[in-house]
Structures are given as C-alpha cells and as structure tokens.
Amino acid sequence: MPTSSGAVPPLTSSIPMLESESSLRHRLNSDSQLQQETQEGVSDLGTLNSGGKTPGSRTTTEEVQEERARRLRDTLGLLPREGRAKVRDEAAEAFRVIFETFLETFEDDGGARVYVEQARRVRADEGGVLSVDFAHVMRFDERAAQALLENYLRLDAYLSHAAQRVVQRASADQSAPIKVSVALFGLPAVHRVRELRADKIGTLACIGGTVTRTTEVRPELVAGIFRCGECGTESGSVAQQFRYTEPAVCENGVCQNRTAWTLDVGRSEFADWQR
C-alpha cells in the first residue's frame, strides 16, 4: 500500500525467502545420505543365526541362502571361492568327510558302532535306507549338525554318497555299489504346517500334522539319462531340480542341440512319490 508520501514500502522480513538451487540440492543430498546410512546400520545379516534381527527389517531369500553358505564355510574352515569358476562344492565335500567319519566311528553308550552294523544289514539287503538319529550327530559334532539343519537341500546328495561308501566298506563284497539313502529322525523341534515360511526352504525340518487324504504311489524321476534327438549322443545323469529337467546342451561339441531329447526310462533313476 502506498504511504502518505506516495512511496511503496519495502517487503517485510516476515515473508519466507525461497532457498537457492544449490542450497536446496545440498540439503536433499544430506537427507538422502543420512537415510542410506540408517538403512545400512539396521540391515545386518549376521543377526540371522543369533535371533537378534531388528523388527521390521526384511531379508530376501538370496540373502538368507548367502548367509547360510557363509556360516557353512566358517563351520568347515573354508575360504570363499573368489575369482574362480565353481567346479565342485568344497564345503559340501568337507561335510561329506565329517559325516562319513561319524558313520564309521560313532559308538552308542554300550560301545557298539551302530551305523557300521546297520550298514552291513543294508549291504545284505542290497540297498535301502540308513536311519540316523540326529541326536547322535549333535553329540558327535554340534556345529556340523547345525550346518546340516540349515543346508539340508545342499548336503542331501553328499549324505547319500557318504552312506554308500560306508556300506561298501562294511562288507567283504566289493562288487558294484548299491543305492543307499539316509533318513534322519529325532530332530529337536516339530513344526506345524502353518508355521512353515520361506525361511524354511532348503532346511531340514520336522513337520507334524494329520493326513486326511492321499494319492496313489507314483514314480518320480530323480536322475534322468537322455539321448540327443539330433545326433543320438547319450547324456550323463541329469539330476531333476523340482521339475522335469533336461540337459542344457548336447555333449557332442559339433551338435549343440538344446531342445530335442528322449528320456531313457530303463536306465533312469526313479523314486516313489505320493501326495
């Protein structure tokens, strides 16, 4: 409003002044950096094993699997594989040696080597199941037992391999190796079906419930032998990964077929399946 003298008064200091572009950008960068540091401080995967996870923080399945693999390497005293192609699972191989030693040397309270005796019976039956009490594994090596709980899917094949070697050596008959599976019982906890979550994927868990309906027993493909549909080359044994899995590429370097395969049913390995 003009004054009595006709001059326009200056703007008052009560009106807020807009920030300059440089100061506004500096403040936004500072806020963003503070938020990032806060998130890094609460995302500590090392608390997964100790149960001290911050409420509200989440981890992906890949992070959980990576943490399990790290703890397995620490348990077995192995260094991470950096800058090298993955040729063999060194951690799983080291665990196989531990489990094989357990089967051959563990003695019960009466001094009997229970699993060596059981291996002789399995050999006489020409294959079967080697039943292992998980409490015995805990008594033999508690850290190895914990690694088995967390990495069962990864170690399952190595358990069977160790059992086959023990069964083979437990008998004077050194003929062709036989198929042996390992069944673990006596786990420390029993979970209800509704308690199963994504963090249980790949772990060893005991589930309690009531079976109300079942289907008939059907064969499930465990390891398949395939023949190339282009050149007829036979593939090695292909382990099935929770679905029908064919070879990635023909072993014949000239063929390079990736799609046309025929399953050799007679030479493939099947197991009983029921839902």
Side-chain angles (χ1 to χ4, degrees):
M1 170 179 283
T3 61
S4 57
S5 62
V8 178
L11 295 175
T12 62
S13 60
S14 61
I15 300 178
M17 299 296 292
L18 294 177
E19 296 182 73
S20 65
E21 181 180 355
S22 60
S23 61
L24 179 60
R25 184 178 304 165
H26 175 73
R27 185 167 60 84
L28 291 177
N29 290 338
S30 300
D31 293 344
S32 176
Q33 182 178 3
L34 177 61
Q35 182 180 7
Q36 181 179 0
E37 292 175 353
T38 303
Q39 291 176 349
E40 291 176 352
V42 300
S43 61
D44 182 14
L45 285 179
T47 59
L48 286 176
N49 196 29
S50 61
K53 187 175 178 180
T54 304
S57 62
R58 297 182 178 179
T59 56
T60 64
T61 303
E62 290 79 7
E63 289 172 334
V64 172
Q65 296 294 342
E66 181 180 353
E67 175 64 15
R68 289 176 184 167
R70 183 192 65 78
R71 289 204 297 268
L72 179 60
R73 290 196 304 268
D74 293 344
T75 299
L76 302 175
L78 298 176
L79 297 176
R81 304 175 63 91
E82 297 180 357
R84 293 185 295 164
K86 183 176 180 181
V87 178
R88 60 195 295 265
D89 193 337
E90 293 181 353
E93 279 289 343
F95 184 87
R96 180 194 61 78
V97 174
I98 295 175
F99 189 72
E100 192 173 325
T101 304
F102 157 74
L103 293 177
E104 291 187 317
T105 62
F106 181 82
E107 298 179 352
D108 61 8
D109 296 335
R113 296 191 176 183
V114 290
Y115 297 111
V116 174
E117 296 176 0
Q118 190 180 160
R120 294 193 182 103
R121 293 194 296 269
V122 171
R123 181 67 187 182
D125 296 338
E126 297 184 353
V129 177
L130 193 68
S131 300
V132 177
D133 190 343
F134 189 79
H136 291 172
V137 184
M138 287 284 290
R139 193 195 313 178
F140 181 80
D141 191 327
E142 185 174 349
R143 294 176 60 191
Q146 184 63 32
L148 178 58
L149 280 176
E150 296 181 351
N151 302 273
Y152 178 73
L153 182 61
R154 177 179 177 181
L155 301 174
D156 182 28
Y158 294 85
L159 296 179
S160 299
H161 187 199
Q164 288 176 5
R165 291 168 59 91
V166 172
V167 169
Q168 189 76 7
R169 289 196 295 264
S171 173
D173 183 8
Q174 299 295 322
S175 58
I178 59 177
K179 181 66 177 178
V180 181
S181 301
V182 176
L184 293 158
F185 65 93
L187 270 67
V190 179
H191 302 279
R192 295 182 298 174
V193 176
R194 66 179 59 186
E195 294 175 347
L196 298 181
R197 296 292 185 270
D199 61 342
K200 295 293 190 295
I201 296 176
T203 65
L204 179 62
C206 181
I207 305 170
T210 303
V211 178
T212 58
R213 210 169 28 179
T214 61
T215 63
E216 63 182 8
V217 178
R218 300 174 182 175
E220 178 187 20
L221 181 63
V222 177
I225 302 294
F226 293 86
R227 189 173 299 278
C228 175
E230 299 291 338
C231 67
T233 302
E234 186 179 276
S235 71
S237 180
V238 179
Q240 302 300 291
Q241 304 293 330
F242 301 105
R243 60 185 180 87
Y244 185 67
T245 306
E246 296 177 334
V249 63
C250 181
E251 296 181 2
N252 185 348
V254 179
C255 177
Q256 296 296 310
N257 167 50
R258 297 177 181 269
T259 56
W261 303 100
T262 302
L263 176 67
D264 189 339
V265 177
R267 300 181 58 195
S268 299
E269 181 183 346
F270 293 85
D272 292 339
W273 175 88
Q274 188 177 31
R275 182 171 58 187

